[in-house]
């Protein structure tokens, strides 16, 4: 199939208040996709609804033509950092080993091969020397790199990251986006909730622009235009030019 993920007429509400409405789009295989929009636009809601983490009012989602329940083991999700208990007494390597659990099943313990895979994934994100540290001892950027290593250990086909660059150092951000591009080049599909418009042209292939509803979707050059962005952010085109959008 040409399309990795297809979302049709997706709507979600919280306590009777509409969060996103009638979202429809399709993304081709092997794309690095940025989900952008103003604060409160429903970016994280969209991602969580696609993953079945929150109930939807209407809509359907398929992954290469298959339903979520049939591909869950092939989906890796990295939530926002504030959703994670960083005080939990677990080492960096054990966090990454957890990525192998979907393949092992609940009654099987990780073997040497899973632990070696974890070390390889940590090396790929530049965190092998931290494998014995407690996860809470790391910086924000290091923590995000560890969770990306866990996603790599899972052997996923679909990667979802919710605001992975918030509160991290530039070195880690560059490392993460480089790894995500490598994953994309392997034919995987990667979704990233993102807020910095000045970097989307360098980071992503496609964009999904939201403000409760779908404003525009497609290649970056199609979406990242002042008149299109202004429709979502309700901001004057001149202001967007100063931000570097469309310049």
């Amino acid at each position: 199939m040409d399309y990795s993920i297809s979302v049709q007429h997706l709507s979600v509400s919280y306590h009777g208040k509409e969060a996103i409405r009638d979202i429809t789009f399709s993304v081709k295989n092997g794309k690095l996709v940025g989900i952008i929009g103003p604060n409160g636009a429903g970016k994280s809601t969209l991602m969580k609804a696609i993953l079945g983490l929150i109930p939807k009012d209407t809509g359907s989602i398929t992954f290469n033509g298959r339903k979520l329940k049939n591909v869950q083991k092939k989906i890796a999700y990295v939530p926002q950092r504030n959703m994670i208990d960083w005080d939990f007494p677990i080492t960096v390597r054990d966090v990454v080993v957890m990525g192998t659990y979907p393949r092992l099943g609940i009654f099987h313990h990780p073997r040497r091969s899973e632990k070696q895979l974890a070390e390889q994934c940590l090396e790929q994100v530049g965190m092998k020397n931290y494998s014995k540290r407690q996860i809470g001892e790391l910086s924000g950027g290091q923590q995000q790199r560890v969770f990306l290593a866990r996603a790599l250990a899972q052997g996923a086909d679909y990667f979802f990251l919710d605001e992975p660059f918030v509160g991290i150092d530039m070195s880690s951000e560059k490392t993460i986006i480089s790894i995500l591009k490598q994953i994309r080049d392997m034919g995987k599909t990667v979704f990233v909730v993102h807020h910095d418009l000045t970097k989307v042209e360098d980071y992503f292939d496609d964009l999904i622009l939201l403000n409760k509803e779908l404003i525009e979707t497609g290649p970056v050059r199609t979406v990242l235009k002042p008149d299109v962005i202004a429709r979502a952010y309700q901001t004057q085109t001149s202001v967007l030019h100063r931000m570097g959008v469309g310049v």
Side-chain angles (χ1 to χ4, degrees):
M1 278 197 177
D2 288 334
Y3 290 104
S4 174
I5 295 177
S6 179
V7 175
Q8 300 293 320
H9 304 293
L10 179 62
S11 297
V12 176
S13 58
Y14 294 111
H15 309 295
K17 186 176 181 180
E18 194 173 54
I20 55 174
R21 62 177 173 274
D22 199 27
I23 304 290
T24 294
F25 65 86
S26 296
V27 172
K28 290 185 177 181
N29 289 301
K31 294 291 184 179
L32 178 50
V33 184
I35 302 175
I36 63 172
N39 291 335
K43 302 184 293 295
S44 295
T45 296
L46 172 64
M47 181 171 283
K48 291 176 182 178
I50 290 172
L51 298 176
L53 299 175
I54 56 175
K56 61 184 185 295
D57 298 334
T58 62
S60 63
I61 301 102
T62 56
F63 300 76
N64 286 100
R66 305 171 71 190
K67 293 184 178 181
L68 174 65
K69 65 181 180 181
N70 297 320
V71 297
Q72 280 184 322
K73 291 182 180 180
K74 288 294 185 177
I75 295 174
Y77 172 55
V78 180
Q80 293 182 15
R81 291 187 61 253
N82 60 11
M83 301 298 293
I84 299 169
D85 180 7
W86 299 111
D87 294 324
F88 190 78
I90 188 171
T91 66
V92 165
R93 188 181 70 174
D94 287 342
V95 168
V96 180
V97 168
M98 288 172 63
T100 66
Y101 286 5
R103 295 197 304 273
L104 287 174
I106 59 175
F107 297 113
H108 296 85
H109 294 288
R111 298 156 298 192
R112 175 181 292 182
S113 58
E114 279 76 37
K115 294 176 182 179
Q116 289 176 338
L117 175 61
E119 294 286 349
Q120 293 169 8
C121 293
L122 282 169
E123 185 171 15
Q124 188 173 346
V125 301
M127 292 297 296
K128 186 175 181 179
N129 292 338
Y130 298 81
S131 63
K132 296 182 180 179
R133 297 271 190 96
Q134 194 270 336
I135 188 69
E137 296 176 358
L138 306 182
S139 69
Q142 291 170 335
Q143 289 168 343
Q144 284 289 30
R145 288 155 72 178
V146 170
F147 273 80
L148 182 54
R150 185 182 72 170
L152 291 169
Q154 187 177 331
D157 290 329
Y158 313 94
F159 292 73
F160 292 82
L161 296 89
D162 194 351
E163 297 274 16
F165 306 126
V166 171
I168 73 171
D169 58 278
M170 184 54 63
S171 176
S172 287
E173 182 168 333
K174 289 180 178 179
T175 298
I176 289 170
I177 197 64
S178 175
I179 294 166
L180 293 179
K181 288 180 178 180
Q182 292 174 32
I183 292 169
R184 180 267 322 269
D185 292 343
M186 294 167 60
K188 314 292 188 179
T189 304
V190 185
F191 284 83
V192 178
V193 173
H194 189 60
H195 72 281
D196 188 348
L197 294 179
T198 65
K199 296 178 180 177
V200 296
E201 196 165 9
D202 294 329
Y203 283 8
F204 304 113
D205 304 312
D206 291 352
L207 295 174
I208 297 169
L209 176 60
L210 299 178
N211 193 352
K212 306 290 187 182
E213 60 186 4
L214 182 66
I215 304 299
E216 190 64 79
T217 185
V220 171
R221 64 180 180 276
T222 301
V223 179
L224 199 66
K225 296 178 178 178
D227 57 330
V228 176
I229 296 295
R231 283 160 46 202
Y233 287 80
Q234 300 178 348
T235 305
Q236 294 297 320
T237 301
S238 59
V239 175
L240 295 167
H241 272 284
R242 289 199 297 273
M243 294 170 62
V245 177
V247 176

